Amino acid sequence: MRAARLRGLSLARGPGRGVAGDWRPERGALAIQARGLAVRRGTATVLSDVDLDVRAGELLALVGPNGAGKTTLLAAACGDLPAHAGTITLGGAALSGAKTVELARRRAMLPQHTTLAFPFTVADVVAMGRAPWAGTPRQAEDTEAVADAMRQADVERFAARPFPSLSGGEQARTALARALAQRTPILLLDEPTAALDLHHQELVLGIARDRARAGDAVVAVLHDLGLAAAYADRVALLAGGRVVADGPPERVLTAGTLSGVYQHRVEVIPHPRTGVPLIVPDRPAPPDRA
């Protein structure tokens, strides 16, 4: 009875048409496509004329200053925000009119913050990610999917603890495990490393990269440009609600481009061993402490 109640939490919205059920694009195929996308929040236009392709098998990082439209773009790709103009599709199917359960079988979304009103255990929260597959043959994967997701996110030892009792970082990893347990071909992550220590930042981006290598389409909003440079296959740089640069990290994350967008001088230095761009703000020399 309890499992059925938990599954029902994710299936609250009404019916519609559009996205079909269990679907997985071939590597390199378009998973998400936006054309001329504009999104409003209230009376403010937050995104304008955005064109973006996301392909299966790649990790795309969305970067840019505060207010650039990164989270709004992710929410539009998830289907949580309607487009004011333009189109956005998942696997060629329009998001508008899609049933919630059908969308949940295509994409999993990790929001910036996860708040629960009831003291569900960590295991219960992760099990919520299996809700879209209730009543389908893939329900047989539930136990394995939940255990595997908790192992990947390093929350196994918290399985019996109430979610509200966890630290911010532990809650963030539990929410990630819920998204991983969903086992969808599209994974959308909004600032997945914001509350994490250095070790777990690397862990989470490693998971994202591994999902992309396995053939999934992964999109992550990141503020840490160094993580974007190290892990992303592509970077889309947003400013003022528009995509101002899109391509490989070494082409997008240049000193001139970043200094202009962030309005702060930035230095980009190749790592001496890997060649991956190291991105640091230009700072004055520290005072003499002698």
Side-chain angles (χ1 to χ4, degrees), residues 136-221:
T136 75
R138 288 188 60 181
Q139 185 174 345
E141 301 174 16
D142 284 4
T143 300
E144 175 195 353
V146 169
D148 186 52
M150 288 197 296
R151 178 192 58 77
Q152 288 185 69
D154 191 25
V155 295
E156 289 175 299
R157 62 190 182 278
F158 308 136
R161 284 179 56 183
F163 182 82
S165 74
L166 303 178
S167 71
E170 291 164 350
Q171 289 185 352
R173 295 191 337 258
T174 299
L176 172 65
R178 178 203 55 76
L180 295 175
Q182 209 166 322
R183 288 191 170 179
T184 59
I186 298 174
L187 182 62
L188 307 173
L189 309 171
D190 194 0
E191 297 190 31
T193 61
L196 303 183
D197 58 40
L198 185 149
H199 168 68
H200 287 105
Q201 287 179 5
E202 298 294 322
L203 173 75
V204 168
L205 267 296
I207 291 170
R209 182 174 59 189
D210 289 346
R211 286 287 299 264
R213 296 292 179 271
D216 293 339
V218 184
V219 185
V221 171

Side-chain angles (χ1 to χ4, degrees), residues 11-290:
L11 308 178
R13 285 193 241 169
R17 293 183 179 180
V19 176
D22 194 355
W23 158 87
R24 186 166 294 274
E26 294 182 1
R27 182 182 296 275
L30 272 176
I32 303 173
Q33 184 177 64
R35 288 292 180 268
L37 181 67
V39 177
R40 286 182 176 175
R41 287 183 180 267
T43 59
T45 299
V46 184
L47 290 177
S48 299
D49 198 27
V50 169
D51 292 341
L52 191 71
D53 293 339
V54 184
R55 297 187 179 275
E58 74 172 354
L59 169 54
L60 171 66
L62 303 180
V63 303
N66 293 336
K70 304 180 298 295
T71 292
T72 297
L73 179 53
L74 206 67
C78 183
D80 286 345
L81 282 178
H84 172 69
T87 61
I88 188 160
T89 60
L90 266 61
L95 289 180
S96 58
K99 292 181 180 179
T100 300
V101 67
E102 291 171 345
L103 285 175
R105 291 173 184 169
R106 289 199 170 200
R107 62 37 178 168
M109 173 72 173
L110 174 67
Q112 287 185 29
H113 307 289
T114 300
T115 302
L116 295 176
F118 299 97
F120 294 115
T121 67
V122 166
D124 285 341
V125 173
V126 179
M128 292 177 190
R130 300 301 302 163
W133 305 108
T136 75
R138 288 188 60 181
Q139 185 174 345
E141 301 174 16
D142 284 4
T143 300
E144 175 195 353
V146 169
D148 186 52
M150 288 197 296
R151 178 192 58 77
Q152 288 185 69
D154 191 25
V155 295
E156 289 175 299
R157 62 190 182 278
F158 308 136
R161 284 179 56 183
F163 182 82
S165 74
L166 303 178
S167 71
E170 291 164 350
Q171 289 185 352
R173 295 191 337 258
T174 299
L176 172 65
R178 178 203 55 76
L180 295 175
Q182 209 166 322
R183 288 191 170 179
T184 59
I186 298 174
L187 182 62
L188 307 173
L189 309 171
D190 194 0
E191 297 190 31
T193 61
L196 303 183
D197 58 40
L198 185 149
H199 168 68
H200 287 105
Q201 287 179 5
E202 298 294 322
L203 173 75
V204 168
L205 267 296
I207 291 170
R209 182 174 59 189
D210 289 346
R211 286 287 299 264
R213 296 292 179 271
D216 293 339
V218 184
V219 185
V221 171
L222 296 174
H223 276 295
D224 189 321
L225 299 175
L227 287 174
Y231 284 97
D233 300 300
R234 274 176 53 223
V235 174
L237 175 62
L238 280 76
R242 297 176 183 271
V243 176
V244 298
D246 181 0
E250 61 273 12
R251 194 174 76 205
V252 173
L253 302 176
T254 65
T257 299
L258 295 176
S259 296
V261 166
Y262 284 91
Q263 299 181 26
H264 187 100
R265 187 178 173 191
V266 172
E267 294 182 272
V268 179
I269 306 162
H271 189 282
R273 180 172 55 84
T274 65
V276 171
L278 300 176
I279 298 129
V280 293
D282 185 30
R283 301 185 179 108
D288 187 0
R289 296 188 179 94

